[in-house]
Amino acid sequence: MREAVSLSEKSPERPTNFRVGALLFDVDANRILATGFTLELPGNTHAEQCCLSKYAAANDMTEDRVGDILPPHTVLFSTMEPCAKRLSGNISCVERILQTTRGGAGIRQVYIGVKEPSTFVGDSAGRAQLVREGVECFYVPGFDDEILKIATSGHGHGHGQPEPSHA
Ligand code: HJL
Ligand code: ZN
């Protein structure tokens, strides 16, 4: 999680989303497989999405089938609960994680630093949705304040709300 927090600091500040860091970890090999942070890859990309996309690309696999080639005990660390809903309408990270499990293996455990704040989608259903589909979720204590400070640093200074536009 410490490494994921460092990754989140590389993400550009934006009022329209959070700065999140994530990584895929092979438990058996004790090895990081791929890293990601919000907006790392071109387009409106999330941290978890960047991990999966980078791992797929590095292994000549399409993103939708990356679950077929992940090592058996691959887990995901993310500074924030994976999203269940995106204001942009893009595919959620929960969907992307569940997609890895369709072949039988895939990501079955997710380690989370903080629950998603209510800023954009209200009470986020990401964790509950994962658990319902059989993916175990674990809260990693001790990083909350640091994670939230980084995640919201592009949101202006008015009580966590986006900066008013001066149009
Ligand atoms: C997680 C990220 C990221 C979010 N959450 N887990 N990883 N940016 O990398 C969640 C937030 C969405 C907004 C806006 N953020 O990002 O709910 O524009 O960023 O699709 O709903 O949606 P878009
Ligand atoms: Zn997401």
Side-chain angles (χ1 to χ4, degrees), residues 23-36:
L23 55 91
L24 289 173
F25 189 75
D26 180 343
V27 175
D28 295 331
N30 193 32
R31 189 168 78 88
I32 292 174
L33 298 170
T35 62

Side-chain angles (χ1 to χ4, degrees), residues 139-155:
Y139 165 61
V140 180
F143 298 93
D144 304 61
D145 291 350
E146 195 180 353
I147 286 171
L148 288 171
K149 193 169 170 221
I150 295 165
T152 60
S153 67
H155 296 188

Side-chain angles (χ1 to χ4, degrees), residues 88-109:
S88 63
N90 283 315
I91 300 175
S92 72
C93 292
V94 165
E95 279 302 320
R96 292 171 202 273
I97 292 163
L98 294 177
Q99 196 170 55
T100 70
T101 67
R102 293 210 176 115
I107 298 166
R108 297 285 179 179
Q109 292 173 334

Side-chain angles (χ1 to χ4, degrees), residues 45-49 81-86 91-94 96 116:
T45 51
H46 280 192
E48 302 91 324
Q49 174 185 2
E81 169 189 19
C83 67
K85 180 179 165 187
R86 298 180 58 165
I91 300 175
S92 72
C93 292
V94 165
R96 292 171 202 273
E116 179 177 338

Side-chain angles (χ1 to χ4, degrees), residues 15 59 65 73 81 102 110 130 139 162:
N59 292 280
R65 291 186 52 206
H73 196 181
E81 169 189 19
R102 293 210 176 115
V110 177
L130 286 169
Y139 165 61

